[in-house]
Amino acid sequence: MFTGSTTLRRIFAQASVAGMILSLFSACNVTVPRHYPANKPFVYEYKIKVEADLSNKEKNELESGLTNQLDDSIRVRTARKLFYHGFNTPVLDHPPVYESGNADKSVIFMRALLNAHGYFKDTITYDTTMRYEKDQQRTTVNFTVKPGKVVQLDSISYTINHPELQSLTDGSMKKTYLHRNRAFARDTISFELDRLVDLYRNNGYMRFSRDELVGLWDTLDVSLLMPTLDPFADLVNLQTQKDRRENPKANLEIRLRPGLDPTRLTKYYIGQITVYPDYHGDITADSVAQLEKHSTIVEGVKVVWYNKIFKPSIIPQNIYLHKDSLYRISDYQRTVDRFNSLGAWRLVTIEPRIRGGSDTVDFVINLTPAKKYSFNTNLEGSSNYSAIAGNLFGIAVNAGVQNRNFAKAANQTITNIRYGIETGKDSLTKVKFTQTRQLSLSHTIYFPHPIPNNNWVPAKLRENFRTVFSFNAANTERRELYNLTTLNASWGYEFQWKHQLFSIKLPNIEYSSLSVKPKLNDLFQSNPSLRNIFTDGFISSIALGYTATGGKNRSVNVFHANMEESGLVAGMIRSKFLDKNLYKFVKLDAEFVRKVNYNKTSLVMRLFAGAGYEFNSTRDANKKNNLPFFKQYFGGGPNSMRAWGLRKLGPGSTIKSFGSTGIPERYGDVQLEGNIEYRFPITVISGVKIKGALFTDMGNVWFLKKAAAPSNPEGVFNINRLGKDLAVGMGGGLRVDFSFFVVRLDYSYKAKDPSPKPENAAGQNVWFYNWKPLKGQLQLGISYPFIL
């Protein structure tokens, strides 16, 4: 009885503390006015109620649109203050005096929106309620909107008094936005007019615009005005009139505007194309006169330059306007977009010049170069744990340079160098030393076209295709543990199609050389399985990547997948070096992230799954049980299971020390993880947005082969033990949003821990074991923890 009472008290105490924490992160919903007009009615709140036979989704969307139509003096806005009359309080600052004229203007604006959506028989009324608080006269404006029946399209006709334009129109009706019995909506009609203009412009009619089209409509059946001697016909007409009132219809006709300029109907062909790749619009004519002018013809394109900043040969391949071909607005826009996407030019303008009295148009393309080099630096801070030195504090500096015009061919290069150290106390001498040093260099070249040439890629795909060469070198020295040198070089391609990105690295070459120091050898003696993790070696792989983005309305979805295979080809070659160093494995992982945006808050959900298998055909016995450790998965840290330190989770339900007799860092060949995060605004300080988050992380890492941990079967993936092996962390955090980057501070607690320290073995998989608010994990991160 006593034990049960103690357990209940513990549960209630935990629930009470959890409730206090949640209350701190949750927002007070009572709005507090500040700097209000005393003893005068001011707008405290507004409400919009839509009364119509619509679904909840349709009502919410209509109410949201009507809210945006309110006059600024009615549409009051609140801002949350972190500490003002409580925590995270919504504050109404400088509310306007209520005037009925502003409400009347809001009605006019709302009616315009309803008309645009096809509602022409609406009724909008409003009233006010007032609540007195000391010298405050808080006024709530209540709008009631009855949109009535939406007017539907009954007939649609196109009377284009031009044979070719009429033929183009008739042949494109499968793509029309207008359909019978659909809403007579302004936006839909506008989309249709824009579609017709683009259709005509893509067939040579360069000067055609929206002004040349007019839409005529009516909602009256002409037959109702014609008397008849047939009483039965009158009955039919009267019934038709009643139906029209109950289900209003509109007839729409699209035609050419009377009296338009006939030159707007001229069909144009492309003449001479002239390009100035080093154009500077701000240079005076006198300055230009002092420069030596050069020009050449490349593939029919005239290239003119004063300073040879770019090779003329690279220009034509980026132009989709071709001499003697029919003018198309899509080719014009593709050319502008292509030069903008290269990054070598900061401004792109194309000037059409019509030859007088002809159907030929010449084009002058002015390209203003961007600044060739840009530099960036940043400072990082981190915390880690070492079996030798315990808790470590790290600091690193990064420096990078970007070249936007490498080799004068609009190629981009990015070079980064990073140097970092970690400091901590020696476990024996207690003297503080630099425990880790890391130096890395990376260099990447982006070629905006296929290499070796363009011919093997279809022409319509080339503008979204680029070649990537990358090289990385790094050295990491962990005092008393190891010295690791890694080299990586890859050649690959990236291709973007609509909302999808494909990438391939062929080949991807990686080599790591590990020099083991005495302390790590001691760890090997006490835990032999660590030899399978800390290995050097050689990788010759093919790596594939795929990313897709999508979503609709308020949601955004991102799916990302990777596949890498090593040793398939190189393994056919027998040599002493490859037999000793080559890894043969396959690795696949996938990630799905969904973000749902609400009015001021958002909900982010993430799923991740990955696995890698080292083939038994790997010839070195120390390498055939695990993926190389620099390819393995790990949990913990600011971007993964946030209740655990970096590489301090798992594998599986392992109970091992993190010290010299255990497993100091945890890796695995399998990883499963799910995250859910609720984000909400807190306040704004000097233009900087402060946001909050509540989150839950769930997942773990495992070995895939039993041989990887013969003495630790709990660390090997087993689907029957999945529920037991999954770790769960819960917490909250702050995000300081500087617009160009986000500083994130998260605090999380181990709600369920499958791999605790040996001294906490009794708490394995016990929910909220020995729960103490200040015994959680603090994580500092840059940007959001997931893709979104």
Side-chain angles (χ1 to χ4, degrees), residues 334-379:
R334 285 176 66 195
T335 302
V336 174
D337 293 343
R338 177 59 174 171
F339 281 113
N340 278 325
S341 69
L342 295 177
W345 293 276
R346 64 178 177 85
L347 185 62
V348 179
T349 59
I350 302 181
E351 299 177 10
R353 297 181 179 178
I354 299 173
R355 297 181 187 177
S358 74
D359 60 356
T360 301
V361 56
D362 299 324
F363 289 92
V364 176
I365 303 177
N366 296 317
L367 305 175
T368 304
K371 190 176 181 180
K372 184 175 182 179
Y373 294 103
S374 63
F375 301 88
N376 67 83
T377 58
N378 63 72
L379 193 66

Side-chain angles (χ1 to χ4, degrees), residues 162-180:
H162 185 282
E164 185 171 356
L165 295 184
Q166 184 71 58
S167 177
L168 289 170
T169 303
D170 295 341
S172 69
M173 293 312 296
K174 289 183 178 180
K175 298 180 180 180
T176 183
Y177 289 96
L178 302 177
H179 302 278
R180 290 190 70 237

Side-chain angles (χ1 to χ4, degrees), residues 74 98 136 186 222 301 345 358 367 376 451 535 552 569 574 609 657 666 686 750 780 782 784:
I74 297 294
Y98 170 72
Q136 301 177 16
R186 180 185 61 190
V222 177
V301 175
W345 293 276
S358 74
L367 305 175
N376 67 83
I451 292 179
T535 57
K552 57 183 180 179
V569 176
R574 296 301 302 267
S657 166
R666 311 295 174 88
S686 300
K750 299 173 183 176
L780 176 64
I782 302 296
Y784 290 103

Side-chain angles (χ1 to χ4, degrees), residues 55 59 110 514 628:
S55 67
K59 277 188 179 182
M110 287 193 286
L514 181 71

Side-chain angles (χ1 to χ4, degrees), residues 319-452:
I319 298 175
Y320 300 96
L321 299 165
H322 301 294
K323 189 174 182 179
D324 299 328
S325 64
L326 186 67
Y327 170 82
R328 300 182 190 277
I329 185 64
S330 59
D331 294 335
Y332 175 98
Q333 193 58 52
R334 285 176 66 195
T335 302
V336 174
D337 293 343
R338 177 59 174 171
F339 281 113
N340 278 325
S341 69
L342 295 177
W345 293 276
R346 64 178 177 85
L347 185 62
V348 179
T349 59
I350 302 181
E351 299 177 10
R353 297 181 179 178
I354 299 173
R355 297 181 187 177
S358 74
D359 60 356
T360 301
V361 56
D362 299 324
F363 289 92
V364 176
I365 303 177
N366 296 317
L367 305 175
T368 304
K371 190 176 181 180
K372 184 175 182 179
Y373 294 103
S374 63
F375 301 88
N376 67 83
T377 58
N378 63 72
L379 193 66
E380 296 178 2
S382 64
S383 62
N384 207 340
Y385 181 85
S386 166
I388 305 301
N391 293 319
L392 302 176
F393 172 74
I395 189 170
V397 61
N398 297 274
V401 58
Q402 178 184 21
N403 181 349
R404 296 185 177 89
N405 186 28
F406 172 68
K408 297 185 177 182
N411 305 314
Q412 291 197 29
T413 68
I414 298 176
T415 305
N416 288 296
I417 186 169
R418 182 181 188 274
Y419 179 74
I421 61 172
E422 289 180 327
T423 62
K425 293 183 179 179
D426 186 275
S427 59
L428 296 177
T429 64
K430 305 300 180 184
V431 176
K432 195 167 187 177
F433 288 99
T434 297
Q435 301 292 337
T436 305
R437 291 187 180 90
Q438 185 180 63
L439 177 65
S440 64
L441 173 69
S442 66
H443 183 70
T444 304
I445 305 175
Y446 297 96
F447 303 92
H449 52 82
I451 292 179

